[in-house]
Amino acid sequence: MECIESILKRRTIRRFKDTPVDSEKLNLILKAAISAPSAHNEQPWDFLIINDRGKIKFLAEVLKEEYLKSGKATEKKAQSSYLSISSAPLIIVGFLNLKKLKDLSELEKILGIQSLAASAENILLASYCLGLGANWRAVPLVRPDIFRSLFNVPEHLVPQWMILIGYPDQQPKEKSINSEGIFHFNGW
């Protein structure tokens, strides 16, 4: 698939078929993840791969309950989030590894976070090119405590995102893109 076509056609998938992602595709996705550019070529990432259906469903349930407790979600919204997460046969969680940074200054942390974002985009595009759907979620950044406790995550790893991956069980809508007034050539 052409690179630009993949970038333009990829859409977020929120429902997945109950079909595991085979190891060959997973390995290609992981290779794409670690091929992302990173500041100073530090590659400040670690990844948690969750493909145990029981652990995925438990994570989805915990996140649903916490979402409801926070008061930021209606029952319907929390249930929708639960169904999306629990239907994914594969979840990759991206962590900023503080031990891999040049130093712990605010700038270096931001550069590390940007590196993780580039890695996430590679995962999204690789998944699409392999016929899979994906959904980038920020919940690990918002609730790192949940991921630390459920998966025994060491303190030097800071969760940034999780990406749900699987075979799409929905047809995503066309995305509206507003490009007016956002491109400025040679100044404002």
Side-chain angles (χ1 to χ4, degrees):
M1 184 174 291
E2 289 294 317
C3 178
I4 298 298
E5 181 184 358
S6 297
I7 292 168
L8 298 176
K9 288 190 172 184
R10 190 213 66 79
R11 296 291 176 261
T12 295
I13 299 298
R14 291 179 173 83
R15 295 288 183 274
F16 303 93
K17 293 180 181 174
D18 190 22
T19 306
V21 175
D22 67 71
S23 60
E24 184 179 326
K25 287 184 179 185
L26 173 58
N27 288 334
L28 287 170
I29 291 166
L30 296 176
K31 188 172 184 177
I34 62 173
S35 296
S38 64
H40 317 298
N41 195 30
E42 287 178 334
Q43 302 170 36
W45 42 58
D46 274 72
F47 303 94
L48 171 65
I49 294 90
I50 311 168
N51 59 3
D52 177 294
R53 298 299 290 155
K55 288 183 180 193
I56 290 170
K57 291 210 183 284
F58 185 70
L59 173 63
E61 187 62 43
V62 169
L63 292 173
K64 175 186 172 185
E65 294 305 316
E66 291 300 318
Y67 202 14
L68 285 169
K69 280 189 217 173
S70 75
K72 296 178 182 175
T74 62
E75 178 66 40
K76 183 178 178 181
K77 191 172 181 180
Q79 183 64 18
S80 177
S81 179
Y82 168 80
L83 291 172
S84 182
I85 295 167
S86 66
S87 74
L90 173 65
I91 297 175
I92 300 175
V93 185
F95 295 86
L96 175 62
N97 186 330
L98 298 175
K99 290 184 177 180
K100 293 180 181 178
L101 297 178
K102 186 168 78 172
D103 61 56
L104 294 179
S105 68
E106 196 61 29
L107 175 61
E108 290 303 316
K109 288 178 185 175
I110 290 169
L111 292 172
I113 291 166
Q114 289 180 337
S115 300
L116 262 290
S119 179
E121 181 69 5
N122 278 13
I123 291 170
L124 295 169
L125 290 171
S127 297
Y128 180 76
C129 290
L130 293 169
L132 299 165
N135 182 345
W136 182 347
R137 308 286 295 259
V139 69
L141 184 61
V142 178
R143 291 301 309 268
D145 55 310
I146 292 172
F147 289 83
R148 288 193 186 290
S149 66
L150 290 181
F151 300 104
N152 219 14
V153 177
E155 284 299 314
H156 68 279
L157 299 177
V158 184
Q160 298 297 305
W161 44 256
M162 71 179 185
I163 299 176
L164 316 176
I165 301 172
Y167 293 93
D169 196 19
Q170 70 171 115
Q171 193 65 268
K173 296 176 185 172
E174 275 299 309
K175 183 177 183 178
S176 65
I177 298 175
N178 178 10
S179 61
E180 288 187 40
I182 61 172
F183 300 110
H184 310 277
F185 293 89
N186 304 311
W188 251 255

